[in-house]
Structures are given as C-alpha cells and as structure tokens.
Amino acid sequence: MEQQEILRRIPKVDELLALAEERGRLDAMTDTIPPAAIRDAVRGELEALRSRILSGALTDLPEREAILDAACVRAAAERLPSLRPVINGTGVVLHTNLGRSCLSRQAADAVEQVARGYSTLEYDVEKGCRGSRHSHIDSLLAAVTGAEAAMVVNNNAAAVLLILSAMGKGGEVIASRGELVEIGGSFRIPDIMTQCGCTLREVGTTNKTHLYDYENAVTPETRALLRVHTSNYRVVGFSERPALGELVELGKRHGLPVIEDLGSGSLVDLTAFGIHDEPTVQQSVKAGVDVISFSGDKLLGGPQAGLILGKKPYIELLKKHPLARALRVDKMTIAALRETLYAYQDPSWARRNIPVLRMLGASGEELRARAAQLCLLLEEAGCTARAVEAESQVGGGSCPTQTLKSWAVAVEPGRLTVDALAEALRRAPLPIIGRISQGQYLLDVRTLQDEDFSRIASRLGEVLR
C-alpha cells in the first residue's frame, strides 16, 4: 500500500477518544489520569505511528483498537512519576540513589496525617495563639541526646552552613588537613568556609594532627575549632588526631567553641551489629562539644534533615540567624522526625521499629532463612534460584571500610543474559534493583521488605516466561 494512503487512514485524535468512550475505557482512565493527559498520549501515539510509516518501519496501519491500546499504555506509562518506589535488592542499606533510609511505619503514618489536612505547625492549641515549629522537635531531640538545646534544618550541609555563618564569619576556623572532606555533590569543607565568610586555618598533615597543631594556630582572629567526621573515607595506618575531650579542653582554655560535624550521626552503639569505630552523638555531647550537627536520613533512620544540638547560648544564636528561616524544615519532615526520635527513648524499641536499625541488626540466621523463603517463592513462579552468602554495605557515606555478612538470592537468567535480566527488572512499573557480582544476578535480602518477596516472584515469573 502506498505510504500516502496509509498516512491518510490514520485516525484523528477525537475519533480515538470517541472509541475509548464508547468502550468505557475513558471513564476508567480519568479516575487516575487527567483528560488532557489522555489526549496528549493519543496524540503522541499517532505521531509515533506517523514517524514509523514515514521511515518505512511500518507498511500497514494497525487496527484502531490496537492503536487505542497502545495509546492507553502510553498514557499509563506517562502517568508514572519519575520519583516512585523501588525494591532495593542491592544490600546497601543507606543507598543514596534510592532514597537513603526508609521511614518507620509510625513516621510514615505521621507524615500522611499532617500532609492531608491542616496542622498545629505554628499554632499553640493550649494558649490559642501563634506557636513555633521549633517546639515540636527541639526538646525531644535534646532529651534523647542529653544536649542542653537543639534545632533542626533541612539537611546536614545546611546545618554546617548555618553554624559556620553564625559562629565563624569574619574570623578564622581551625580544622585538621585530614578532615577537609568532600562529600556528594562537591560539598567541600574549604568551599563552605569561604561561602560562610570564614577563613580556613589548616593544621597538621593528612595523616597526623596533634593537639599542639591546634594550639599553635590560635590567634586573636580565631572564632572556633572544627572537628569533622570523615564519613565516606578513613585515614588508617600511621595516623593520629587528638581525642575529642582534649580538643574541648583546648577550646575552654582559649574561650573558643568546638564545633563537630558528625556526618551520619548514630544514636545507638553499632558494635553489636558488627560495625566498629562509629561514634555516637551522645559521646560527643558528654565530651562537652559546644555545637554538634548530623544527618537525619542516615544512621538515625529518619527523613532528610540536619540536626543541630549543643550549648543553649549557641543554639539560640543559630535560631536567630537570618539563614535559619531559609533552611527551616516543613511540617512533613517535622512529623516524620518526631516519630523517629520518639522511638529512641527506648533503644530496644528503636531497633525493632526503625527499618535502618532493623536491617543493620539482622542476624545471619534470619537472613539465611529469608533467602531460603524467597527461593521457594521464586521456584513456585517457575524461576531457578539459590541462596548464596553475600556482603552488604551500610552506605550513605557511613562506615566506608566495613561490610556486613549477608545472604542473597542468585537468580538464573534462563534464556536472557544477566544484564538483560537486570534491565527487565529495573524497567518494571515497580522497579527491582539488584546487583551483578561475578556473573550472577543477586538480590540481597538484608534490604528487602517482606512485602517485596511476592512482587519479585511475580515480576520474575513474567520476565523469565
């Protein structure tokens, strides 16, 4: 058939929409997709048809029903948000690309409650007047950490920016060369110093900084001493730095505040999980550090936030700084963070209910049993799989030199290549993200939720059939 004849037979947009309405498909779709988006999807499908005909890839026109089916598939695909849930089978607990920590059920419920209606964000129901959003978190955060005072901003980078702007501007801040970190997104401590109006005074060497290096650097221009947790790397071997308590004492002698960027910021001792040398927030508070900052969505297991705590005069200074309003958190962050911190009033409760702690604390026996359970489900779906030993990572820039022994399920790709299997699972409406290791496609059960098992089995069954 001549190309121009085929092009003339392409139906109009309104004709296909009328067919969809006649078949009852339009009403079903408009429950979740706006009519304008459906029209755009139909138009897009017709344009794609026209392009295929002109290129010679299509030599006859499909039936109208088939064109309509394709347009409906297109509309549903375009309805999928770019930010949507995934199944994390990588074994990386705090996977930065996959959203870092998962919220507890209580925290997620709290977010939904305040998101769907009005709230007491800045209203005091007891007094019947304007309240402060600081009141929802600050006292609870101070209580669970033992600090004098606390506040919250939108992430730890913002916390460091606010602290240095308020406490170091116009003067020098002393920091060890071994702690001048760069984290994701090219966030560099030296650059932040400049942005905050501070002058960085580097002391020591990459591997060794002594207490006298700090003391010899103190001048009338010095505003603070800065300690930075290196988070995503470690200097090991012939290395040394002063104990935190020694730095605090030095600060007291010179009347200088000690600021500590703790990075991931754990509220529990992770030694029981096989994770060593990760300091806790409470240790820094007990050491007398004047201002401490850390992340909310890493080892804490909450939403993205920057938590700041320390001596009351400094926290009050930060709250009054002009940047504080620009960096403040919204009602949904406050709701999730409050529930997360509430759990830490009882460490055993926190380990049971906060997903990050539950994943990190899972025993080898538990993980092996879960891998065997997933294998059985996959076999029932017609897939060949076996449980294998694996290694998980904490992720999120935390504990970079340590891995956790785990169990994973190795899936046989059948007629597909391992890469093709990974792509097919990744492109599912609910993407499944695993990892390829030594030619095997692995799903590490440490980071899988119980409800993920049936979804994985269903999708793998479809792909491998």
Side-chain angles (χ1 to χ4, degrees), residues 86-384:
V86 302
I87 293 174
N88 178 13
T90 66
V92 181
V93 177
L94 298 173
H95 200 305
T96 297
N97 303 121
L98 302 184
R100 290 188 181 161
S101 59
C102 305
L103 294 180
S104 67
R105 177 181 55 80
Q106 295 87 351
D109 288 346
V111 171
E112 183 180 8
Q113 288 295 317
V114 300
R116 292 173 66 87
Y118 296 104
S119 65
T120 57
L121 178 62
E122 291 186 354
Y123 184 77
D124 188 326
V125 292
E126 297 296 328
K127 297 178 181 178
C129 62
R130 184 187 178 99
S132 168
R133 68 180 64 202
H134 291 300
S135 65
H136 303 290
I137 294 293
D138 297 0
S139 59
L140 179 58
L141 177 54
V144 297
T145 59
E148 285 183 17
M151 67 179 294
V152 181
V153 292
N154 56 24
N155 63 15
N156 191 44
V160 174
L161 180 72
L162 174 61
I163 293 166
L164 292 177
S165 296
M167 298 175 63
K169 186 174 182 179
E172 294 181 346
V173 175
I174 301 174
S176 167
R177 286 189 174 90
E179 298 173 3
L180 300 181
V181 303
E182 176 181 331
I183 61 172
S186 298
F187 178 92
R188 294 180 169 189
I189 289 295
D191 295 344
I192 293 303
M193 291 269 199
T194 302
Q195 186 67 36
C196 297
C198 310
T199 300
L200 169 63
R201 184 70 182 272
E202 300 178 30
V203 297
T205 63
T206 302
N207 60 319
K208 279 203 172 192
T209 302
H210 302 280
L211 189 64
Y212 62 73
D213 290 319
Y214 289 93
E215 187 149 28
N216 292 341
V218 174
T219 72
E221 302 302 314
T222 305
R223 297 290 183 269
L225 308 178
L226 177 65
R227 172 87 152 218
V228 181
H229 183 31
T230 53
S231 294
N232 54 8
Y233 74 94
R234 292 288 185 271
V235 178
V236 297
F238 190 62
S239 61
E240 184 181 338
R241 68 175 182 169
L244 190 56
E246 294 177 325
L247 202 59
V248 170
E249 285 303 314
L250 177 64
K252 286 179 180 178
R253 286 202 303 272
H254 291 276
L256 295 170
V258 174
I259 300 165
E260 185 175 26
D261 172 6
L262 260 180
S264 295
S266 177
L267 294 188
V268 298
D269 185 354
L270 300 177
T271 305
F273 301 161
I275 300 170
H276 304 282
D277 302 322
E278 184 65 31
T280 66
V281 174
Q282 293 91 326
Q283 288 170 342
S284 294
V285 173
K286 288 180 181 177
V289 178
D290 296 285
V291 179
I292 303 160
S293 72
F294 57 99
S295 295
D297 60 345
K298 293 185 179 180
L299 292 174
L300 185 75
Q304 177 182 297
L307 284 66
I308 307 173
L309 42 90
K311 305 294 175 57
K312 190 171 183 178
Y314 294 116
I315 300 302
E316 290 301 317
L317 175 68
L318 299 180
K319 287 181 178 179
K320 293 174 183 176
H321 194 275
L323 274 177
R325 182 175 179 86
L327 303 176
R328 68 183 184 177
V329 292
D330 73 343
K331 60 185 178 182
M332 291 176 282
T333 300
I334 290 171
L337 185 56
R338 188 191 181 283
E339 285 300 318
T340 303
L341 292 170
Y342 186 84
Y344 278 98
Q345 294 180 111
D346 184 331
S348 60
W349 171 273
R351 283 192 289 270
R352 288 195 306 272
N353 288 279
I354 294 178
V356 167
L357 298 183
R358 193 167 63 240
M359 290 177 189
L360 292 177
S363 68
E365 293 80 5
E366 177 189 347
L367 294 170
R368 184 175 185 175
R370 296 185 75 227
Q373 179 189 357
L374 180 54
C375 282
L376 286 175
L377 283 175
L378 294 181
E379 288 171 10
E380 291 172 4
C383 309
T384 302

